[in-house]
Amino acid sequence: MARKKSTKTTLGTKSSFMFPQLHSSVFHAVSDEIPSPRFNNTDTDKGSHNEYSTFVMGKFQCYNNSCSNTGWSSKKVTILIRGYGNNLYNAVVFGQRCQSCNRLGNLTLDEASYVDRVAYRLKKWAGVATDDHIFSKKEGPPHKSELCEGCKRGYCQRRKDGEYWFV
């Protein structure tokens, strides 16, 4: 199956984001196997029966005028996907901080990676046979938990109770 061309969604500077506007894309990605999934607009653990943390891709810009860092890209943007009863789900994407000035960056989300990860997880939870995603560990810059909002909230796969573990 050919991958869709990646599109981007740019949002403001926050520690976490939800993307209900991408539900229609997720819906189309799972509609043949899962009847009527619906997006839960409330960012809460209450009532969730499934939870999975993984990564999506994105770019961040630093808008601090006195900072020399204008932006960075990341293939390790933490996303927390939750499943609730009655085919409800949501997904929270966590921001990152600038390593130069420690301010939150402005996220531009890679929508294709978001839709792919959310749809895959919903199918797994529904018991739909899927091709397992196998990701090779790639060397890159070290993970900086002090800059990762997912780590700060305890959801990042790269940091769990002060210990790093592999994804």
Coordinates of all heavy atoms in Angstrom, one line a residue, residues 72-133:
W72 N 13.7 22.9 15.3 CA 14.3 21.5 15.3 C 13.2 20.5 14.8 O 12.0 20.8 14.9 CB 14.8 21.1 16.6 CG 13.8 21.0 17.7 CD1 13.2 19.8 18.2 CD2 13.3 22.0 18.5 NE1 12.3 20.1 19.2 CE2 12.4 21.5 19.4 CE3 13.5 23.4 18.6 CZ2 11.7 22.2 20.4 CZ3 12.8 24.2 19.5 CH2 11.9 23.6 20.4
S73 N 13.6 19.4 14.3 CA 12.7 18.4 13.9 C 12.9 17.2 14.9 O 13.9 17.0 15.4 CB 12.9 17.9 12.5 OG 14.1 17.4 12.3
S74 N 11.8 16.4 15.0 CA 11.9 15.2 15.9 C 11.1 14.1 15.4 O 10.0 14.2 14.9 CB 11.4 15.6 17.3 OG 11.4 14.5 18.2
K75 N 11.7 12.9 15.4 CA 11.0 11.7 15.1 C 10.5 11.0 16.3 O 10.0 9.8 16.3 CB 11.9 10.7 14.2 CG 12.2 11.3 12.9 CD 13.0 10.3 12.0 CE 13.2 10.9 10.7 NZ 13.9 10.0 9.8
K76 N 10.7 11.6 17.5 CA 10.3 11.1 18.8 C 9.5 12.0 19.5 O 9.8 12.5 20.6 CB 11.6 10.7 19.6 CG 12.5 9.7 19.0 CD 11.9 8.3 19.1 CE 12.9 7.3 18.6 NZ 12.3 6.0 18.4
V77 N 8.3 12.4 18.9 CA 7.4 13.3 19.6 C 6.4 12.3 20.2 O 5.7 11.5 19.6 CB 6.6 14.2 18.6 CG1 5.6 15.0 19.3 CG2 7.6 15.0 17.8
T78 N 6.3 12.4 21.6 CA 5.5 11.4 22.3 C 4.0 11.6 22.0 O 3.5 12.8 22.1 CB 5.7 11.5 23.8 OG1 7.1 11.3 24.1 CG2 4.9 10.5 24.6
I79 N 3.3 10.5 21.8 CA 1.8 10.5 21.7 C 1.2 9.4 22.6 O 1.8 8.3 22.7 CB 1.4 10.3 20.2 CG1 -0.1 10.3 20.1 CG2 2.0 9.0 19.7 CD1 -0.6 10.2 18.6
L80 N 0.2 9.8 23.3 CA -0.5 8.9 24.2 C -1.9 8.6 23.6 O -2.7 9.5 23.4 CB -0.7 9.4 25.6 CG -1.5 8.6 26.6 CD1 -0.8 7.3 26.9 CD2 -1.8 9.4 27.8
I81 N -2.2 7.3 23.3 CA -3.4 7.0 22.6 C -4.2 6.2 23.7 O -3.7 5.3 24.4 CB -3.2 6.1 21.4 CG1 -2.2 6.7 20.4 CG2 -4.5 5.7 20.7 CD1 -1.7 5.8 19.4
R82 N -5.5 6.6 23.9 CA -6.3 6.0 24.9 C -7.6 5.5 24.2 O -8.1 6.1 23.3 CB -6.8 7.0 25.9 CG -5.7 7.6 26.8 CD -6.4 8.5 27.8 NE -5.4 9.2 28.6 CZ -5.3 10.6 28.5 NH1 -6.0 11.3 27.7 NH2 -4.4 11.2 29.2
G83 N -8.1 4.3 24.7 CA -9.3 3.7 24.2 C -10.3 3.7 25.4 O -10.0 3.5 26.5
Y84 N -11.6 4.0 25.0 CA -12.7 4.1 26.0 C -13.8 3.2 25.5 O -13.7 2.7 24.4 CB -13.2 5.5 26.1 CG -12.2 6.5 26.5 CD1 -11.4 7.2 25.5 CD2 -12.0 6.9 27.8 CE1 -10.5 8.1 25.9 CE2 -11.1 7.9 28.2 CZ -10.3 8.5 27.2 OH -9.4 9.4 27.5
G85 N -14.8 3.0 26.3 CA -15.9 2.2 25.8 C -16.7 2.8 24.7 O -16.4 4.0 24.4
N86 N -17.5 2.0 24.0 CA -18.3 2.5 22.9 C -17.5 3.1 21.7 O -17.9 4.0 21.1 CB -19.3 3.6 23.4 CG -20.3 3.0 24.4 OD1 -20.8 1.9 24.3 ND2 -20.5 3.8 25.5
N87 N -16.4 2.5 21.5 CA -15.5 2.9 20.4 C -15.0 4.3 20.4 O -14.7 4.9 19.4 CB -16.2 2.6 19.0 CG -16.2 1.1 18.7 OD1 -15.4 0.4 19.2 ND2 -17.2 0.8 17.8
L88 N -14.9 4.8 21.6 CA -14.3 6.2 21.8 C -12.8 6.0 21.9 O -12.3 5.0 22.5 CB -14.9 6.8 23.1 CG -16.2 7.4 23.0 CD1 -16.7 7.8 24.4 CD2 -16.3 8.6 22.1
Y89 N -12.1 7.0 21.5 CA -10.6 7.1 21.6 C -10.2 8.5 21.7 O -11.0 9.4 21.3 CB -9.9 6.3 20.5 CG -9.9 7.2 19.2 CD1 -8.8 8.0 18.9 CD2 -11.0 7.2 18.3 CE1 -8.8 8.8 17.8 CE2 -11.0 8.0 17.2 CZ -9.9 8.8 16.9 OH -9.9 9.6 15.8
N90 N -9.0 8.8 22.1 CA -8.4 10.1 21.9 C -6.9 9.9 21.8 O -6.4 8.8 22.1 CB -8.8 11.1 22.9 CG -8.3 10.9 24.3 OD1 -7.4 10.2 24.6 ND2 -9.0 11.5 25.3
A91 N -6.2 10.9 21.5 CA -4.7 10.9 21.4 C -4.2 12.2 21.8 O -4.7 13.2 21.3 CB -4.3 10.5 20.0
V92 N -3.2 12.2 22.7 CA -2.6 13.4 23.1 C -1.2 13.4 22.7 O -0.4 12.5 22.9 CB -2.7 13.5 24.7 CG1 -2.0 14.8 25.2 CG2 -4.1 13.4 25.2
V93 N -0.8 14.5 22.0 CA 0.6 14.7 21.5 C 1.3 15.7 22.4 O 0.8 16.7 22.7 CB 0.6 15.2 20.1 CG1 2.1 15.3 19.6 CG2 -0.1 14.2 19.2
F94 N 2.5 15.3 22.9 CA 3.2 16.1 23.9 C 4.3 17.0 23.2 O 4.9 16.6 22.3 CB 3.8 15.3 24.9 CG 2.8 14.6 25.8 CD1 2.4 13.3 25.5 CD2 2.2 15.2 26.8 CE1 1.5 12.6 26.2 CE2 1.2 14.6 27.6 CZ 0.8 13.3 27.3
G95 N 4.4 18.2 23.7 CA 5.3 19.1 23.1 C 6.8 18.9 23.6 O 7.1 18.0 24.3
Q96 N 7.7 19.7 23.1 CA 9.1 19.6 23.5 C 9.6 21.1 23.7 O 9.0 22.0 23.2 CB 9.9 19.0 22.3 CG 9.6 17.5 22.1 CD 10.5 16.9 21.0 OE1 11.3 17.6 20.4 NE2 10.2 15.7 20.7
R97 N 10.6 21.2 24.5 CA 11.2 22.5 24.8 C 12.5 22.7 24.0 O 13.2 21.7 23.7 CB 11.5 22.5 26.3 CG 10.2 22.5 27.1 CD 10.5 22.7 28.6 NE 9.2 22.9 29.3 CZ 8.6 24.1 29.4 NH1 9.1 25.2 29.0 NH2 7.4 24.1 30.1
C98 N 12.8 23.9 23.8 CA 14.0 24.3 23.1 C 15.2 24.1 24.0 O 15.2 24.4 25.2 CB 13.9 25.8 22.8 SG 15.4 26.5 22.1
Q99 N 16.2 23.4 23.5 CA 17.4 23.1 24.3 C 18.2 24.4 24.6 O 19.0 24.4 25.5 CB 18.2 22.0 23.7 CG 19.0 22.3 22.5 CD 19.8 21.1 22.0 OE1 19.7 20.0 22.6 NE2 20.6 21.4 21.0
S100 N 18.0 25.4 23.8 CA 18.8 26.7 24.0 C 18.2 27.6 25.1 O 18.9 28.1 25.9 CB 18.9 27.5 22.8 OG 19.6 26.7 21.8
C101 N 16.8 27.7 25.1 CA 16.2 28.6 26.0 C 15.2 28.0 27.0 O 14.6 28.7 27.9 CB 15.6 29.8 25.3 SG 14.1 29.3 24.4
N102 N 14.8 26.7 26.8 CA 13.9 25.9 27.6 C 12.5 26.4 27.4 O 11.6 25.9 28.2 CB 14.3 26.0 29.1 CG 13.7 24.8 29.8 OD1 13.7 23.7 29.3 ND2 13.3 25.0 31.0
R103 N 12.1 27.1 26.4 CA 10.7 27.5 26.2 C 10.1 26.4 25.3 O 10.7 25.8 24.5 CB 10.6 28.8 25.5 CG 10.9 30.0 26.4 CD 10.4 31.3 25.9 NE 10.8 32.4 26.7 CZ 10.6 33.6 26.4 NH1 10.1 33.9 25.2 NH2 11.0 34.6 27.2
L104 N 8.8 26.3 25.5 CA 8.0 25.3 24.7 C 8.1 25.7 23.2 O 7.9 26.9 22.9 CB 6.6 25.2 25.1 CG 6.3 24.4 26.4 CD1 4.9 24.7 26.9 CD2 6.6 22.9 26.2
G105 N 8.3 24.7 22.3 CA 8.3 25.0 20.9 C 6.9 25.0 20.3 O 6.0 24.4 20.9
N106 N 6.7 25.6 19.2 CA 5.5 25.6 18.4 C 5.5 24.3 17.5 O 6.3 24.2 16.6 CB 5.4 26.9 17.7 CG 4.1 27.0 16.9 OD1 3.2 26.3 17.1 ND2 4.0 28.0 16.1
L107 N 4.6 23.4 17.7 CA 4.6 22.1 17.0 C 3.9 22.2 15.7 O 2.8 22.8 15.5 CB 3.8 21.1 17.9 CG 3.5 19.8 17.2 CD1 4.8 19.0 16.9 CD2 2.5 18.9 18.1
T108 N 4.6 21.6 14.7 CA 4.0 21.3 13.4 C 4.0 19.8 13.3 O 5.0 19.2 13.2 CB 4.8 21.9 12.2 OG1 4.8 23.4 12.4 CG2 4.2 21.6 10.9
L109 N 2.8 19.2 13.4 CA 2.7 17.8 13.4 C 2.7 17.2 12.0 O 2.1 17.7 11.1 CB 1.3 17.4 14.0 CG 0.9 15.9 14.1 CD1 1.8 15.2 15.1 CD2 -0.5 15.8 14.4
D110 N 3.4 16.0 11.9 CA 3.3 15.2 10.6 C 2.0 14.4 10.7 O 2.0 13.4 11.5 CB 4.6 14.3 10.5 CG 4.5 13.5 9.3 OD1 3.6 12.7 9.1 OD2 5.4 13.7 8.5
E111 N 1.0 14.8 10.0 CA -0.3 14.2 10.1 C -0.3 12.7 9.7 O -1.0 11.9 10.3 CB -1.3 15.0 9.3 CG -1.6 16.3 9.8 CD -2.6 17.1 8.9 OE1 -3.2 16.5 8.0 OE2 -2.8 18.3 9.2
A112 N 0.5 12.4 8.7 CA 0.5 11.0 8.2 C 1.0 10.0 9.3 O 0.5 9.0 9.5 CB 1.4 10.8 7.0
S113 N 2.0 10.5 10.1 CA 2.5 9.6 11.2 C 1.5 9.5 12.3 O 1.3 8.4 12.9 CB 3.9 10.1 11.7 OG 3.8 11.3 12.4
Y114 N 0.8 10.6 12.6 CA -0.3 10.6 13.6 C -1.4 9.6 13.2 O -1.8 8.7 14.0 CB -0.8 12.0 13.7 CG -2.1 12.1 14.6 CD1 -1.9 12.4 16.0 CD2 -3.3 11.9 14.1 CE1 -3.0 12.5 16.8 CE2 -4.5 12.0 15.0 CZ -4.3 12.3 16.3 OH -5.4 12.4 17.1
V115 N -1.9 9.7 12.0 CA -3.0 8.9 11.5 C -2.6 7.4 11.5 O -3.3 6.5 11.9 CB -3.5 9.3 10.1 CG1 -4.5 8.3 9.5 CG2 -4.2 10.7 10.2
D116 N -1.4 7.1 11.0 CA -0.8 5.8 11.0 C -0.7 5.2 12.4 O -1.2 4.0 12.6 CB 0.6 5.8 10.3 CG 1.1 4.4 10.2 OD1 0.5 3.5 9.6 OD2 2.3 4.2 10.7
R117 N -0.2 5.9 13.3 CA 0.0 5.3 14.7 C -1.3 5.1 15.4 O -1.6 4.1 16.0 CB 0.9 6.2 15.5 CG 2.3 6.3 15.0 CD 2.9 4.9 15.0 NE 4.2 4.9 14.4 CZ 5.4 4.9 15.1 NH1 5.4 4.9 16.4 NH2 6.5 4.9 14.4
V118 N -2.2 6.1 15.3 CA -3.5 6.0 16.0 C -4.4 4.9 15.3 O -4.9 4.0 16.0 CB -4.3 7.3 15.9 CG1 -5.7 7.2 16.5 CG2 -3.5 8.4 16.7
A119 N -4.5 4.8 14.0 CA -5.2 3.8 13.3 C -4.7 2.4 13.7 O -5.4 1.4 13.9 CB -5.2 4.0 11.8
Y120 N -3.4 2.3 13.6 CA -2.7 1.0 14.0 C -3.1 0.5 15.4 O -3.5 -0.6 15.6 CB -1.2 1.1 13.8 CG -0.5 -0.2 14.2 CD1 -0.4 -1.2 13.3 CD2 0.1 -0.3 15.5 CE1 0.3 -2.4 13.7 CE2 0.8 -1.4 15.8 CZ 0.9 -2.5 15.0 OH 1.6 -3.6 15.3
R121 N -3.0 1.4 16.3 CA -3.3 1.1 17.7 C -4.8 0.7 17.9 O -5.1 -0.3 18.6 CB -2.9 2.2 18.7 CG -3.0 1.9 20.1 CD -2.3 0.6 20.6 NE -1.0 0.4 20.0 CZ -0.4 -0.7 20.0 NH1 -0.9 -1.8 20.7 NH2 0.8 -0.9 19.5
L122 N -5.7 1.4 17.3 CA -7.1 1.1 17.4 C -7.4 -0.2 16.8 O -8.2 -1.0 17.4 CB -8.0 2.2 16.7 CG -7.9 3.6 17.3 CD1 -8.8 4.6 16.5 CD2 -8.3 3.6 18.7
K123 N -6.8 -0.6 15.7 CA -7.0 -1.9 15.1 C -6.5 -3.0 16.0 O -7.1 -4.0 16.2 CB -6.3 -2.0 13.7 CG -7.0 -1.2 12.6 CD -6.2 -1.3 11.3 CE -6.8 -0.4 10.2 NZ -6.1 -0.5 9.0
K124 N -5.3 -2.8 16.6 CA -4.7 -3.8 17.5 C -5.7 -4.0 18.7 O -5.9 -5.2 19.1 CB -3.4 -3.3 18.1 CG -2.2 -3.3 17.1 CD -1.8 -4.7 16.6 CE -0.8 -5.3 17.6 NZ -0.2 -6.5 17.1
W125 N -6.2 -2.9 19.3 CA -7.1 -3.1 20.4 C -8.4 -3.8 20.0 O -9.0 -4.5 20.8 CB -7.4 -1.7 21.0 CG -6.3 -1.1 21.8 CD1 -5.3 -1.8 22.4 CD2 -6.1 0.3 22.1 NE1 -4.4 -0.9 23.0 CE2 -4.9 0.4 22.8 CE3 -6.8 1.4 21.8 CZ2 -4.5 1.6 23.3 CZ3 -6.4 2.6 22.3 CH2 -5.2 2.7 23.0
A126 N -8.8 -3.6 18.8 CA -10.1 -4.2 18.3 C -9.9 -5.7 17.8 O -10.8 -6.3 17.5 CB -10.7 -3.4 17.1
G127 N -8.6 -6.1 17.9 CA -8.3 -7.5 17.5 C -8.2 -7.7 16.0 O -8.3 -8.8 15.5
V128 N -8.1 -6.6 15.3 CA -8.0 -6.7 13.8 C -6.6 -7.2 13.5 O -5.6 -6.7 14.0 CB -8.3 -5.3 13.2 CG1 -8.0 -5.4 11.7 CG2 -9.7 -4.9 13.5
A129 N -6.5 -8.1 12.6 CA -5.1 -8.6 12.1 C -4.4 -7.5 11.4 O -5.0 -6.9 10.4 CB -5.3 -9.8 11.2
T130 N -3.3 -7.1 11.8 CA -2.5 -6.0 11.2 C -1.1 -6.5 11.0 O -0.6 -7.4 11.7 CB -2.4 -4.8 12.1 OG1 -1.9 -5.1 13.4 CG2 -3.8 -4.2 12.3
D131 N -0.4 -5.9 10.1 CA 1.0 -6.2 9.9 C 1.7 -5.5 11.1 O 1.5 -4.3 11.3 CB 1.6 -5.6 8.6 CG 1.0 -6.3 7.4 OD1 0.7 -7.5 7.5 OD2 0.9 -5.6 6.3
D132 N 2.5 -6.2 11.8 CA 3.2 -5.6 12.9 C 4.2 -4.6 12.5 O 4.9 -4.8 11.5 CB 4.0 -6.7 13.8 CG 3.1 -7.5 14.6 OD1 2.0 -7.1 14.9 OD2 3.4 -8.7 14.9
H133 N 4.2 -3.5 13.1 CA 5.2 -2.4 12.8 C 6.5 -2.8 13.5 O 6.5 -3.0 14.7 CB 4.7 -1.1 13.4 CG 3.7 -0.4 12.6 ND1 3.0 0.7 13.0 CD2 3.1 -0.7 11.4 CE1 2.1 1.1 12.1 NE2 2.2 0.2 11.2

